[in-house]
Amino acid sequence: QFKKPEDAIKYRQSVYTVMANSFGKISAVVKGEAPFNKDDVAKNAAVVATLSTLPWQAFGPGTEGGNALPAVWSDNAKFKAASEKMQLAVVNLNTAAQSGDQEAIKKAFAAAGATCKGCHDDFKKK
Ligand code: ASC
Protein backbone atom coordinates (compact mmCIF):
# COMPACT_ATOMS: atom_id res chain seq x y z
CA GLN A 1 0.00 0.00 0.00
CA PHE A 2 2.91 2.38 0.70
CA LYS A 3 5.92 2.65 -1.58
CA LYS A 4 8.29 3.80 1.15
CA PRO A 5 8.22 3.71 4.95
CA GLU A 6 8.20 7.51 4.93
CA ASP A 7 4.94 7.41 3.00
CA ALA A 8 3.33 5.31 5.74
CA ILE A 9 4.69 7.63 8.43
CA LYS A 10 3.38 10.69 6.61
CA TYR A 11 0.00 9.03 6.11
CA ARG A 12 -0.55 8.10 9.76
CA GLN A 13 0.75 11.47 11.01
CA SER A 14 -1.59 13.27 8.61
CA VAL A 15 -4.56 11.29 9.88
CA TYR A 16 -3.68 12.11 13.48
CA THR A 17 -3.24 15.79 12.57
CA VAL A 18 -6.72 16.04 11.12
CA MET A 19 -8.20 13.97 13.96
CA ALA A 20 -6.55 16.22 16.55
CA ASN A 21 -7.93 19.29 14.82
CA SER A 22 -11.51 18.05 15.04
CA PHE A 23 -11.00 16.62 18.52
CA GLY A 24 -9.55 19.97 19.59
CA LYS A 25 -12.64 21.81 18.34
CA ILE A 26 -14.83 19.54 20.48
CA SER A 27 -12.41 20.06 23.37
CA ALA A 28 -12.89 23.84 23.19
CA VAL A 29 -16.66 23.39 23.42
CA VAL A 30 -16.44 20.92 26.30
CA LYS A 31 -14.12 23.30 28.18
CA GLY A 32 -16.52 26.19 27.62
CA GLU A 33 -14.01 28.07 25.47
CA ALA A 34 -16.27 27.92 22.42
CA PRO A 35 -20.07 28.02 22.19
CA PHE A 36 -21.97 24.76 21.86
CA ASN A 37 -23.20 24.23 18.34
CA LYS A 38 -24.74 20.82 17.98
CA ASP A 39 -24.12 20.50 14.25
CA ASP A 40 -20.46 21.50 14.52
CA VAL A 41 -19.80 19.06 17.36
CA ALA A 42 -21.65 16.31 15.48
CA LYS A 43 -19.62 16.99 12.34
CA ASN A 44 -16.30 16.99 14.18
CA ALA A 45 -17.14 13.84 16.12
CA ALA A 46 -18.05 12.09 12.87
CA VAL A 47 -14.72 13.13 11.36
CA VAL A 48 -12.86 11.76 14.39
CA ALA A 49 -14.80 8.49 14.31
CA THR A 50 -14.19 7.98 10.61
CA LEU A 51 -10.51 8.87 10.73
CA SER A 52 -9.94 6.68 13.78
CA THR A 53 -10.15 3.64 11.53
CA LEU A 54 -7.30 4.74 9.25
CA PRO A 55 -3.91 5.05 10.97
CA TRP A 56 -3.45 1.37 11.80
CA GLN A 57 -2.89 0.18 8.24
CA ALA A 58 0.09 2.55 8.14
CA PHE A 59 1.94 0.84 11.02
CA GLY A 60 2.89 -2.24 9.02
CA PRO A 61 6.20 -4.10 9.22
CA GLY A 62 9.13 -1.94 8.14
CA THR A 63 7.40 1.36 8.88
CA GLU A 64 9.15 1.99 12.20
CA GLY A 65 9.98 5.59 12.91
CA GLY A 66 8.32 8.96 13.06
CA ASN A 67 6.97 9.52 16.56
CA ALA A 68 6.20 5.86 17.10
CA LEU A 69 8.10 3.95 19.76
CA PRO A 70 9.48 0.47 18.89
CA ALA A 71 6.83 -0.99 21.23
CA VAL A 72 4.25 -0.53 18.44
CA TRP A 73 5.95 -3.42 16.68
CA SER A 74 7.48 -5.34 19.59
CA ASP A 75 4.23 -5.31 21.61
CA ASN A 76 1.83 -5.16 18.70
CA ALA A 77 -1.03 -6.98 20.44
CA LYS A 78 -1.09 -4.31 23.15
CA PHE A 79 -0.93 -1.56 20.53
CA LYS A 80 -3.83 -3.13 18.66
CA ALA A 81 -5.86 -3.38 21.87
CA ALA A 82 -5.17 0.29 22.64
CA SER A 83 -6.19 1.25 19.11
CA GLU A 84 -9.44 -0.67 19.43
CA LYS A 85 -10.19 0.98 22.77
CA MET A 86 -9.78 4.37 21.15
CA GLN A 87 -11.93 3.48 18.17
CA LEU A 88 -14.72 2.32 20.46
CA ALA A 89 -14.46 5.47 22.58
CA VAL A 90 -14.75 7.78 19.58
CA VAL A 91 -17.72 5.83 18.23
CA ASN A 92 -19.34 6.46 21.62
CA LEU A 93 -18.38 10.14 21.36
CA ASN A 94 -19.93 10.29 17.92
CA THR A 95 -23.14 8.69 19.21
CA ALA A 96 -23.32 11.27 22.01
CA ALA A 97 -22.53 14.10 19.58
CA GLN A 98 -25.26 13.10 17.16
CA SER A 99 -27.73 13.05 20.07
CA GLY A 100 -26.73 16.57 21.07
CA ASP A 101 -26.83 15.70 24.77
CA GLN A 102 -24.16 17.95 26.25
CA GLU A 103 -23.66 15.91 29.42
CA ALA A 104 -23.24 12.73 27.38
CA ILE A 105 -20.81 14.55 25.07
CA LYS A 106 -18.73 15.70 28.04
CA LYS A 107 -18.49 12.21 29.48
CA ALA A 108 -17.74 10.55 26.16
CA PHE A 109 -15.19 13.24 25.32
CA ALA A 110 -13.29 12.64 28.56
CA ALA A 111 -13.32 8.88 27.99
CA ALA A 112 -12.06 9.32 24.43
CA GLY A 113 -9.29 11.71 25.50
CA ALA A 114 -8.11 9.17 28.06
CA THR A 115 -7.71 6.56 25.31
CA CYS A 116 -5.60 8.98 23.23
CA LYS A 117 -3.36 9.64 26.19
CA GLY A 118 -3.20 5.98 27.20
CA CYS A 119 -1.80 5.01 23.82
CA HIS A 120 0.60 7.95 23.68
CA ASP A 121 2.04 7.03 27.08
CA ASP A 122 3.12 3.61 25.85
CA PHE A 123 3.60 4.00 22.11
CA LYS A 124 4.52 7.58 21.24
CA LYS A 125 7.81 9.41 21.68
CA LYS A 126 7.60 12.24 24.20
C1 ASC B 1 -6.11 16.08 21.87
C2 ASC B 1 -4.98 15.55 21.20
C3 ASC B 1 -4.64 14.41 21.81
C4 ASC B 1 -5.57 14.13 22.92
C5 ASC B 1 -4.92 13.91 24.23
C6 ASC B 1 -5.93 13.68 25.31
O1 ASC B 1 -6.72 17.09 21.58
O2 ASC B 1 -4.36 16.06 20.16
O3 ASC B 1 -3.66 13.63 21.50
O4 ASC B 1 -6.45 15.26 22.94
O5 ASC B 1 -4.13 15.02 24.57
O6 ASC B 1 -5.31 13.44 26.53
Side-chain angles (χ1 to χ4, degrees):
Q1 188 193 355
F2 301 101
K3 285 209 176 80
K4 305 180 301 250
E6 307 86 80
D7 294 346
I9 292 168
K10 192 171 168 186
Y11 178 96
R12 66 202 189 210
Q13 290 185 347
S14 301
V15 174
Y16 289 131
T17 297
V18 179
M19 278 181 80
N21 182 277
S22 274
F23 198 69
K25 285 176 183 158
I26 301 171
S27 174
V29 173
V30 166
K31 288 185 192 152
E33 296 166 0
F36 176 68
N37 178 297
K38 179 182 183 290
D39 291 343
D40 284 349
V41 171
K43 191 180 82 181
N44 283 308
V47 167
V48 172
T50 299
L51 293 188
S52 75
T53 66
L54 298 177
W56 326 111
Q57 62 187 323
F59 284 98
T63 66
E64 288 86 347
N67 295 318
L69 291 173
V72 168
W73 292 270
S74 64
D75 199 354
N76 195 253
K78 189 175 169 189
F79 179 67
K80 189 161 185 285
S83 84
E84 284 167 359
K85 219 171 145 179
M86 183 276 270
Q87 291 174 80
L88 184 63
V90 298
V91 164
N92 291 338
L93 174 60
N94 190 30
T95 301
Q98 304 308 317
S99 82
D101 177 340
Q102 287 195 70
E103 277 313 304
I105 291 167
K106 255 188 199 173
K107 275 179 87 172
F109 176 84
T115 67
C116 304
K117 185 178 184 305
C119 198
H120 292 170
D121 288 347
D122 293 333
F123 297 105
K124 188 182 176 210
K125 287 179 191 162
K126 300 292 175 281

